[in-house]
């Protein structure tokens, strides 16, 4: 058994986009099933996202706390954002998000993990980077607005975050995936064995 997800595309006989928002939309496809029947599938069309697990010299993770209206909670998260430009290099986007949300830059970057947020209902793909060798960014801070104007920033020990995830106290998907992936990497081949920052990403192909 090959333990790897594989590309496959079933035939679509009709498609429409009943809703288009500012960044995402909803698509309806009529898909031919293996037995020849046709089933309708609705899903969110999403440009993709990047997130950054920024780790400082004291083994603390840089966090932000932000209000998320759909779940009516303020969630502890790692810096993250959309791939606003089709084909955008995800590393460039991750650097931008770390600067805009935390006014921090990093000298060492690795790919921590790639995942689909909810593949039964969305095509959103996320790449999480591990960023190390942190420093305060130069220049003026990025001007924040809307939910970001109320953000809190903190640095929390990785071990405390692992405990918080397993206790059910932390719920943001990028934080959960990133924290547990880093803990697993350390228990395995180590952080330096992670993929390079420019590793291919078939879910969202990009130019170097």
């Amino acid at each position: 058994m090959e333990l790897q997800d594989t590309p496959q595309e079933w035939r679509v006989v009709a498609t429409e986009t009943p809703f288009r928002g500012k960044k995402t939309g909803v698509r309806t496809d009529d898909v031919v099933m293996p037995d020849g029947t046709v089933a309708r599938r609705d899903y969110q069309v999403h440009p993709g996202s990047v997130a950054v697990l920024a780790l400082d010299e004291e083994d603390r993770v840089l966090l932000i706390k932000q209000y998320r209206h759909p779940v009516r909670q303020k969630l502890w998260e790692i810096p993250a954002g959309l791939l606003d430009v089709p084909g955008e290099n995800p590393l460039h986007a991750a650097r931008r998000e770390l600067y805009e949300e935390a006014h921090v830059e990093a000298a060492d970057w690795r790919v921590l993990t790639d995942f689909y947020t909810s593949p039964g209902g969305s095509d959103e793909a996320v790449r999480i980077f591990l960023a190390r060798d942190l420093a305060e960014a130069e220049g003026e801070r990025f001007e924040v607005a809307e939910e970001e104007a109320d953000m809190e920033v903190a640095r929390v020990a990785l071990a405390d975050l692992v405990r918080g995830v397993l206790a059910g106290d932390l719920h943001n998907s990028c934080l959960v995936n990133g924290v547990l992936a880093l803990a697993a990497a350390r228990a395995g081949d180590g952080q330096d064995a992670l993929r390079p920052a420019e590793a291919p990403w078939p879910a969202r192909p990009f130019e170097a």
Side-chain angles (χ1 to χ4, degrees):
M1 181 183 69
E2 184 180 20
L3 194 60
Q4 183 177 359
D5 298 334
T6 53
Q8 189 171 113
E9 189 166 348
W10 293 0
R11 188 161 65 95
V12 175
V13 294
T15 186
E16 60 183 64
T17 306
F19 170 77
R20 294 182 188 272
K22 183 179 180 181
K23 297 292 185 181
T24 68
V26 173
R27 181 174 296 160
T28 299
D29 289 344
D30 291 339
V31 187
V32 179
M33 299 289 110
D35 63 359
T37 61
V38 176
R40 178 156 289 188
R41 295 289 179 261
D42 302 317
Y43 58 99
Q44 180 194 35
V45 179
H46 195 286
S49 306
V50 292
V52 184
L53 195 153
L55 191 68
D56 70 13
E57 67 282 356
E58 297 180 35
D59 212 38
R60 299 176 303 174
V61 177
L62 191 154
L63 301 182
I64 59 175
K65 195 173 190 181
Q66 186 170 349
Y67 176 65
R68 294 302 187 182
H69 187 70
V71 296
R72 307 304 199 271
Q73 291 192 38
K74 285 189 76 172
L75 301 180
W76 283 111
E77 307 178 352
I78 57 177
L82 299 177
L83 291 168
D84 293 312
V85 181
E88 182 177 17
N89 186 305
L91 177 59
H92 297 171
R95 289 184 184 275
R96 181 186 67 237
E97 294 301 329
L98 186 59
Y99 167 77
E100 291 182 356
E101 296 193 350
H103 201 64
V104 167
E105 58 187 17
D108 185 88
W109 291 81
R110 307 282 176 129
V111 174
L112 187 52
T113 188
D114 301 325
F115 68 100
Y116 293 111
T117 55
S118 182
S122 173
D123 70 350
E124 181 183 7
V126 180
R127 167 159 282 188
I128 303 180
F129 291 90
L130 172 65
R132 296 180 292 179
D133 295 341
L134 308 184
E136 188 78 6
E138 297 181 357
E140 295 183 4
R141 284 186 172 271
F142 183 79
E143 185 176 348
V144 296
E146 299 177 342
E147 287 93 342
E148 292 184 353
D150 188 49
M151 284 195 313
E152 302 172 44
V153 180
R155 297 192 182 200
V156 179
L158 178 66
D160 291 339
L161 293 177
V162 171
R163 284 191 288 269
V165 168
L166 298 180
D169 296 329
L170 301 169
H171 305 91
N172 174 265
S173 60
C174 290
L175 183 149
V176 170
N177 277 281
V179 163
L180 296 185
L182 181 56
R186 288 181 168 185
D189 296 330
Q191 296 172 171
D192 292 335
L194 292 168
R195 287 172 290 162
E198 296 281 6
W201 189 15
R204 292 294 184 273
F206 62 93
E207 297 182 5

